[in-house]
Amino acid sequence: MIASTFVDALRFIGDNPGLLLHLTAAHLELSLTALGIALVLALPLGLWLGHRHRGLFLALGVSSVGRALPSLVLIAFMTLTPLGIGFWNNTLALTVLAIPSILTNAYFGIVGVDRDVVEAARGMGLSERQILFRVELPLGLPLVMAGIRIAAIFVIATATIAAIAGGGGLGEIIVDQASYGLSGVIGAALCVSALTLVAAVLLTLLQRAASRRPEPNA
Amino acid sequence: MSILAAGPVIPNFGSGSKCEQTGGWWCTDWLRAHWGDTLQPALVQHIELSLIAVGIGFAIALALALLGFRFAVLDAPFGAFADFLYTIPSLALFQLLVPITGLTVTTVEVALVGYTLLILYRNTVAGLRSVPAEALEAARGMGLTRTQTFLRVELPLAVPAIVAGLRLAAVSTISIATVAALVIPEGLGRPIFVALEQDLFKTEILAAGGLAIALALVADALLVVAQRALTPWSRA
Amino acid sequence: MVRKHTRRAAKAAYAVSLAVAIVIGLIAAGAGAAAPSAAKPTVTIGTKNFTEQYVLGELYKQALEAKGYKVVYKENIGSSELIDTAIKSGKINFYPEYDGVIVTDLAKKPFPKSAAATYAQAKTWEQGRGLTLLNATPFFDSDGFVMLKSTATKNGIKTIADMKKLKSFSYAGFPECKTRITCLLGIKNIYGLKQVKFVPLASISVYTLLDQGKVTAGDGFSTDPQLQTGKYVTLTDTKHIFGFQNVAPVVTKALAGDASLVKIVNAVSAKLTVAAIAAMNKAVGVDKKTPAAVASAFLTANKLK
């Protein structure tokens, strides 16, 4: 009986490719917009703070608070803003959720780079900017990329819940059993799980590839 | 019209304050009136759901971690499985379990436990692996048996990593448990959903959401205190 | 001599009393032992997922509990289709339903022409499936085509048919509205308003969407407290697509066999006029009281608890 439910779900997926693709596109649009904004806000800040070895308190604080923010609560809070209930309130919520991982990991990635290497580079006359981009960032890349990867997965997964606040995406089917039936809900749940798994694998591969860059001469 | 067909008596239910009627930002009268029947029960349910999930999750993760630590060949599959579970969006996992365990607390708990496994497993194994070789040498030199070494040296030294894992697991469980209200009407997610339906009643959303955030912060703080208490040597 | 008579008489009287007492005791014990089999059944009440249903659920729950019934309360199961599956599969044995919805959306028959016909058809249909309906309430809660008063006045719209003046418009409703002839299908097919775009409601209420200008119109219910504020209008349903919607508890035949339960439930239903339900909906939706407290106050005031 349970097997038949999952068989029905697969049939739903087969019967509704257009709908599912459309919702997946909306899902990704929301996720990538939020991730993009978070990267613009948090990545430079994290890298710069790490480079200057300042703001440990900020990085730790943002990390603690960020983890304590239940995603549903944040999505609900954002419906109370003038952004309405559609795309932008959810984008804001997801951006806030993505920032902690990106900021903290960028900071710790750069801060953890061997100071001797940095000093040597400074001794060679490289500018601060050159030090950050040619020495610290390549060496700290694994941790920085890990932060981006964690944030991306978190955002794509949480975008599912955004459906209750008008965000659309695959979550729209999952919260709407009355329209799509149990087969639809299970089908969409399988789809969104597959989506996050694929994203996780891709980003892990990307992270590994980026970490295998040859180290610069120090 | 006979007496039997008399209309109903409609009592005065007490009209809400201006704040309540317009769904204001912070209606103190609503908060005072509904702490006992809405917010507190939801908070208690939420704490219960989270405690059970973290408790069971920790027990399972510890067992798996001990096995994975002892038999390194098991580490990869255990880790991969936990990794896989963690990636599935919570809402999807709840719904995937519903055909199997119904619209019950069991469904919610199974999902919550699943999410704690990754964090707790990886942190426990990492903690056990981080024990310095010198400490093990010293233990062997003192003639401790394998079990004694484990209980008196390895486990205590792994405590910081384990508690770090518990902190992460507790906070993330509290967060995911808010979504559980979509499956069963329990936990702090429930007032949030009800408020969303009631023309976005701001006070209720802020109050329930605030409680969830506070709960997570308190749990985190308590575990930090526990960690300091359990590792007196790190304070030296 | 008198004493001897008296003593024997007394002994006899004593013996008879003792015997009678023993017999009564045995009967009582027997009745007590038999009581579990004639005991009150456990009532598992389910409700759908909106305010009026929470109020109705609490009313029936508390009235039954006051008279000694054990009630398991499963609030917030979902729409008609979901909750109907629940009662058919035995997960619940009692839920309050709108009779028009039973006829047109579950039985998929054309909507009847009167409230009485609606109730009769609904009852007959449910009885064919092992369920039945208890008495209907005086109040009816039909869907309504609702929009902001300002929008309606601006476009000179008074009836649903007037909507053909708009080249296109959006209509928000609970997801199940999409496939119902008493809702979107009726708007499209019976009124011929093919230009409608359906917006399904997830958690946000239709009135919030109307206020924020996200939809042109939406599916409201005649007993919604928001409709009492004058900010919204319900367009006239000249073709009666929304039908008649009195509430009647759908119960299993087993529960219906319990005469005392039927009496309690019918007594509650009889008191639920439009005024009563609208007042209770307002107390919960606008004044933010809990459904349990509102139901309790109503039952107490009407001596049903």
Side-chain angles (χ1 to χ4, degrees):
Chain A
M1 212 264 286
I2 296 172
S4 73
T5 315
F6 285 94
V7 166
D8 287 337
L10 292 171
R11 198 174 301 138
F12 177 87
I13 298 177
D15 288 340
N16 295 282
L19 170 70
L20 288 167
L21 276 172
H22 170 73
L23 290 174
T24 305
H27 197 111
L28 285 172
E29 191 190 349
L30 184 63
S31 310
L32 292 172
T33 311
L35 194 60
I37 299 178
L39 281 170
V40 165
L41 290 176
L43 193 59
L45 182 62
L47 293 174
W48 184 74
L49 285 174
H51 173 73
R52 308 270 278 147
H53 284 261
R54 286 241 197 99
L56 170 65
F57 200 60
L58 174 70
L60 286 176
V62 165
S63 162
S64 292
V65 168
R67 278 200 322 251
L69 285 173
S71 17
L72 176 66
V73 171
L74 205 54
I75 288 182
F77 279 7
M78 291 310 166
T79 60
L80 306 179
T81 61
L83 291 172
I85 26 188
F87 185 80
W88 287 108
N89 59 306
N90 288 302
T91 306
L92 181 56
L94 292 173
T95 306
V96 171
L97 288 172
I99 287 178
S101 274
I102 299 175
L103 180 65
T104 310
N105 273 52
Y107 175 83
F108 282 111
I110 301 297
V111 147
V113 171
D114 193 345
R115 294 201 85 153
D116 294 335
V117 176
V118 177
E119 281 308 313
R122 208 165 272 141
M124 291 201 304
L126 291 173
S127 73
E128 293 303 306
R129 218 152 150 265
Q130 284 172 320
I131 294 175
L132 175 59
F133 284 109
R134 293 218 227 143
V135 180
E136 289 177 312
L137 189 51
L139 288 174
L141 203 55
L143 216 54
V144 174
M145 286 290 308
I148 300 177
R149 177 177 61 89
I150 293 170
I153 303 302
F154 192 37
V155 164
I156 296 178
T158 310
T160 320
I161 307 176
I164 57 150
L170 288 164
E172 205 169 279
I173 300 183
I174 301 182
V175 300
D176 192 350
Q177 190 166 351
S179 287
Y180 299 101
L182 186 62
S183 60
V185 169
I186 305 293
L190 290 171
C191 284
V192 78
S193 306
L195 181 64
T196 32
L197 279 167
V198 165
V201 167
L202 281 177
L203 287 165
T204 309
L205 289 174
L206 193 62
Q207 182 184 335
R208 292 228 189 104
S211 311
R212 259 183 279 141
R213 284 178 48 176
E215 292 190 4
N217 300 336
Chain B
M1 214 195 296
S2 74
I3 294 176
L4 285 168
V9 173
I10 303 179
N12 182 359
F13 299 108
S15 79
S17 62
K18 202 83 186 73
C19 180
E20 286 175 326
Q21 288 190 345
T22 51
W25 284 98
W26 195 251
C27 304
T28 45
D29 22 22
W30 185 88
L31 290 168
R32 248 179 290 134
H34 293 282
W35 168 255
D37 59 42
T38 305
L39 293 174
Q40 191 193 26
L43 179 63
V44 169
Q45 286 160 357
H46 206 103
I47 295 175
E48 268 176 25
L49 284 173
S50 308
L51 274 177
I52 295 175
V54 175
I56 297 180
F58 183 52
I60 297 178
L62 189 58
L64 289 178
L66 291 176
L67 284 173
F69 176 60
R70 201 72 162 70
F71 306 107
V73 66
L74 289 174
D75 184 34
F78 281 172
F81 175 66
D83 226 331
F84 164 76
L85 272 185
Y86 193 72
T87 322
I88 304 178
S90 54
L91 190 53
L93 187 56
F94 284 137
Q95 296 288 15
L96 287 169
L97 288 170
V98 165
I100 308 174
T101 41
L103 289 171
T104 60
V105 176
T106 313
T107 301
V108 170
E109 289 294 0
V110 169
L112 289 176
V113 165
Y115 285 118
T116 63
L117 285 180
L118 170 70
I119 305 167
L120 292 170
Y121 176 79
R122 287 222 183 276
N123 270 63
T124 309
V125 169
L128 289 169
R129 291 231 178 91
S130 71
V131 174
E134 300 87 58
L136 294 174
E137 284 294 321
R140 206 172 331 181
M142 290 204 295
L144 294 177
T145 65
R146 191 88 187 73
T147 321
Q148 284 173 322
T149 313
F150 180 73
L151 288 173
R152 293 213 234 152
V153 178
E154 286 175 307
L155 204 48
L157 285 176
V159 162
I162 295 179
V163 175
L166 272 174
R167 277 176 66 192
L168 277 170
V171 169
S172 97
T173 302
I174 290 172
S175 168
I176 300 175
T178 53
V179 181
L182 271 171
V183 180
I184 49 164
E186 287 191 24
L188 287 165
R190 176 94 174 112
I192 294 182
F193 282 116
V194 169
L196 284 173
E197 275 172 43
Q198 280 180 347
D199 298 334
L200 302 180
F201 183 25
K202 303 185 192 52
T203 303
E204 194 166 7
I205 293 178
L206 288 174
L211 278 175
I213 297 176
L215 186 60
L217 290 171
V218 165
D220 197 45
L222 283 176
L223 284 165
V224 169
V225 168
Q227 179 183 347
R228 297 239 180 94
L230 286 170
T231 54
W233 57 84
S234 63
R235 279 189 267 127
Chain C
M1 229 166 341
V2 170
R3 246 183 292 171
K4 212 166 178 180
H5 272 295
T6 336
R7 212 182 298 149
R8 219 190 292 152
K11 262 203 211 153
Y14 182 65
V16 169
S17 317
L18 188 58
V20 170
I22 291 175
V23 169
I24 292 179
L26 282 171
I27 293 177
S37 62
K40 303 167 186 288
T42 303
V43 188
T44 311
I45 299 183
T47 76
K48 298 199 227 176
N49 48 4
F50 48 93
T51 304
E52 184 171 280
Q53 281 277 314
Y54 304 148
V55 169
L56 286 169
E58 284 285 348
L59 284 167
Y60 293 120
K61 164 179 181 275
Q62 293 182 29
L64 286 169
E65 281 178 335
K67 297 288 193 290
Y69 283 86
K70 179 168 181 300
V71 177
V72 175
Y73 191 45
K74 292 200 185 255
E75 204 182 47
N76 203 47
I77 293 184
S79 68
S80 294
E81 289 82 352
L82 285 176
I83 205 172
D84 182 59
T85 312
I87 198 170
K88 279 295 288 174
S89 64
K91 292 201 164 67
I92 57 173
N93 54 18
F94 183 121
Y95 84 94
E97 179 62 285
Y98 303 88
D99 53 14
V101 166
I102 298 179
V103 174
T104 55
D105 299 322
L106 295 177
K108 305 240 194 290
K109 300 215 178 68
F111 48 82
K113 298 299 176 198
S114 75
T118 312
Y119 177 75
Q121 279 196 34
K123 189 166 182 178
T124 316
W125 186 75
E126 291 284 11
Q127 281 172 334
R129 318 157 79 217
L131 305 167
T132 185
L133 297 183
L134 298 183
N135 286 1
T137 57
F139 89 87
F140 54 89
D141 181 9
S142 320
D143 293 51
F145 197 107
V146 171
M147 58 195 328
L148 284 171
K149 193 163 179 189
S150 47
T151 320
T153 332
K154 189 168 73 154
N155 292 290
I157 294 176
K158 288 222 176 64
T159 70
I160 302 182
D162 287 343
M163 291 299 286
K164 67 175 182 297
K165 289 187 196 173
L166 296 177
K167 206 150 58 146
S168 79
F169 64 95
S170 53
Y171 190 79
F174 275 111
E176 55 269 23
C177 170
K178 197 160 167 206
T179 47
R180 287 197 185 162
I181 196 76
T182 50
C183 200
L184 189 73
L185 288 185
I187 296 173
K188 273 183 152 165
N189 301 339
I190 300 187
Y191 278 101
L193 296 167
K194 304 278 185 203
Q195 73 272 37
V196 63
K197 178 177 175 300
F198 183 68
V199 175
L201 294 171
S203 297
I204 314 288
S205 91
V206 64
Y207 299 100
T208 309
L209 290 176
L210 284 170
D211 286 344
Q212 296 202 350
K214 294 225 161 233
V215 286
T216 329
D219 195 45
F221 300 104
S222 50
T223 54
D224 279 339
Q226 290 90 338
L227 291 177
Q228 323 245 336
T229 58
K231 193 170 169 193
Y232 314 92
V233 285
T234 311
L235 301 187
T236 314
D237 180 14
T238 48
K239 298 192 199 270
H240 300 298
I241 62 167
F242 291 122
F244 302 92
Q245 302 284 8
N246 298 69
V247 164
V250 178
V251 298
T252 57
K253 287 216 169 118
L255 271 194
D258 183 330
S260 140
L261 179 147
V262 172
K263 189 154 169 271
I264 297 169
V265 172
N266 285 344
V268 172
S269 302
K271 293 289 182 192
L272 300 179
T273 59
V274 177
I277 278 286
M280 286 192 269
N281 283 346
K282 173 177 180 287
V284 175
V286 177
D287 297 318
K288 312 285 192 277
K289 309 291 174 202
T290 61
V294 167
S296 179
F298 183 80
L299 291 173
T300 313
N302 288 280
K303 306 219 187 349
L304 291 166
K305 183 174 157 163

